């Protein structure tokens, strides 16, 4: 069984399509999406349409903070992100095609706050605040980690920061700092074997990576035992030009794609 876990597509159609093509080539059986289908990027309608297609194989889709903000109201967003959210909302509400209601229903009614299957938990932000809380690599020496890992059944998959990697939890009696963050350059072949210890896995971002690698990122889960981080190049220049051509989207949103930040 091969399961793909994706997150933070952010209306980047070219990246989404490239990742779906890679998943197809890898023989993926089912897909879990950890939210933020929309926001920032130029193709919110198209990305939602693609997520809704049965052939995309999305089994579960979580609500991200940008998905929530587009339907309700943005909170805690900077000016650039807020402006993009209002433009995204207008695109969804003012669409003049037969899919308009399906899109709005999908985002407002079908996205889950969190999802659990056995010992696996799927969220957008964190186990404590599934929609909005960030968990950064710098947090490994923060007291909040004990509370977060206390809410993890065995393995928690999340996105939100757009930075891929694995948070580990060792036996506190054997370590002064029981928590660690392993970045992709610390994982042989971008792979990590799931063992008995608890993990929090950030699957990175499909549509707006922030680990200084502009390629799209997602995770393959092999038979529930092996994590494989995949990096997929895509037609970034097309996405960039689309953003630049939309006055409501700040050019910075396109420029950061090229820098992977």
């Amino acid at each position: 069984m091969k399961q793909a876990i994706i997150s933070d597509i952010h209306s980047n159609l070219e990246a989404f399509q490239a990742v779906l093509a890679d998943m197809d080539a890898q023989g993926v059986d089912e897909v879990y999406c950890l939210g933020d289908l929309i926001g920032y990027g130029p193709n919110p309608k198209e990305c939602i349409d693609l997520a809704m297609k049965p052939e995309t194989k999305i089994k579960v889709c979580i609500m991200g903070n940008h998905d929530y903000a587009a339907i309700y109201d943005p909170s805690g967003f900077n000016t650039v992100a807020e402006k993009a959210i209002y433009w995204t909302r207008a695109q969804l509400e003012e669409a003049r095609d037969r899919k308009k209601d399906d899109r709005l229903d999908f985002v407002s009614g079908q996205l889950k706050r969190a999802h659990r299957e056995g010992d696996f938990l799927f969220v957008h932000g964190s186990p404590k605040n599934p929609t909005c809380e960030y968990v950064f690599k710098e947090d490994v020496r923060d007291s909040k980690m004990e509370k977060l890992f206390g809410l993890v059944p065995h393995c928690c998959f999340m996105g939100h920061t757009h930075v891929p990697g694995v948070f580990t939890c060792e036996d506190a009696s054997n370590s002064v700092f029981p928590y660690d963050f392993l970045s992709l350059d610390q994982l042989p072949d971008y792979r990590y074997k799931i063992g008995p210890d608890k993990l929090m896995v950030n699957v990175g971002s499909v549509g707006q990576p922030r680990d200084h690698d502009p390629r799209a990122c997602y995770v393959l889960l092999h038979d529930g035992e092996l994590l494989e981080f995949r990096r997929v190049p895509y037609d970034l220049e097309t996405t960039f030009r689309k953003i630049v051509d939309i006055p409501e989207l700040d050019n910075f949103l396109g420029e950061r794609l090229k820098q992977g930040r």
Side-chain angles (χ1 to χ4, degrees):
M1 167 75 78
K2 284 187 181 180
Q3 297 163 303
I5 309 167
I6 62 176
S7 190
D8 297 279
I9 296 162
H10 283 298
S11 302
N12 187 332
L13 182 62
E14 287 71 35
F16 195 11
Q17 290 173 327
V19 164
L20 290 176
D22 189 74
M23 291 193 299
D24 186 57
Q26 296 299 314
V28 166
D29 298 294
E30 57 189 20
V31 180
Y32 295 79
C33 179
L34 304 186
D36 276 3
L37 271 169
I38 53 180
Y40 291 137
N43 290 108
K45 293 183 293 184
E46 294 82 357
C47 286
I48 295 172
D49 291 346
L50 198 49
M52 291 192 298
K53 286 185 175 182
E55 53 265 39
T56 304
K57 300 180 182 179
I58 291 183
K59 179 181 180 180
V60 173
C61 196
I62 304 297
M63 177 170 281
N65 59 314
H66 283 255
D67 306 319
Y68 182 91
I71 295 298
Y72 304 105
D73 286 304
S75 176
F77 281 46
N78 62 44
T79 302
V80 170
E82 184 177 271
K83 190 175 180 180
I85 278 294
Y86 285 128
W87 176 83
T88 298
R89 178 186 296 178
Q91 294 302 300
L92 300 181
E93 292 181 344
E94 297 170 11
R96 300 184 183 279
D97 58 53
R98 60 183 178 82
K99 294 183 180 180
K100 171 185 175 181
D101 291 341
D102 290 340
R103 293 185 195 109
L104 291 172
D105 177 66
F106 182 76
V107 178
S108 65
Q110 297 186 44
L111 303 190
K112 303 180 68 173
R113 186 168 181 265
H115 176 72
R116 179 171 175 176
E117 287 187 15
D119 286 335
F120 288 167
L121 177 65
F122 302 85
V123 300
H124 178 68
S126 83
K128 183 166 68 73
N129 185 333
T131 305
C132 295
E133 184 177 25
Y134 290 95
V135 185
F136 294 107
K137 62 182 180 180
E138 293 81 9
D139 292 332
V140 295
R141 298 193 178 187
D142 192 292
S143 59
K144 80 176 187 179
M145 296 300 286
E146 181 178 2
K147 180 176 291 186
L148 293 179
F149 270 106
L151 297 171
V152 175
H154 181 204
C155 185
C156 177
F157 294 97
M158 56 196 187
H160 199 29
T161 67
H162 303 203
V163 178
V166 179
F167 291 91
T168 63
C169 177
E170 300 175 0
D171 184 351
S173 64
N174 294 326
S175 176
V176 176
F177 300 108
Y179 310 111
D180 198 5
F181 177 80
L182 302 177
S183 58
L184 297 197
D185 59 4
Q186 296 173 285
L187 305 180
D189 300 320
Y190 290 178
R191 293 183 175 218
Y192 187 89
K193 179 74 172 178
I194 297 177
D197 294 331
K198 288 185 176 184
L199 302 173
M200 291 192 294
V201 180
N202 193 303
V203 303
S205 172
V206 169
Q208 195 189 85
R210 293 181 186 170
D211 61 337
H212 303 287
D213 184 337
R215 296 175 297 172
C217 186
Y218 77 100
V219 161
L220 276 183
L221 178 61
H222 298 265
D223 298 320
E225 298 178 351
L226 178 68
L227 302 171
E228 178 187 356
F229 289 84
R230 303 279 302 173
R231 298 312 292 242
V232 183
Y234 70 94
D235 186 1
L236 194 155
E237 190 61 34
T238 292
T239 308
F240 173 79
R241 292 311 318 171
K242 287 180 181 179
I243 292 173
V244 170
D245 289 342
I246 298 171
E248 293 84 356
L249 299 181
D250 194 289
N251 287 355
F252 166 71
L253 295 174
E255 292 162 0
R256 75 185 309 177
L257 294 180
K258 294 184 177 183
Q259 300 170 30
R261 66 178 182 89

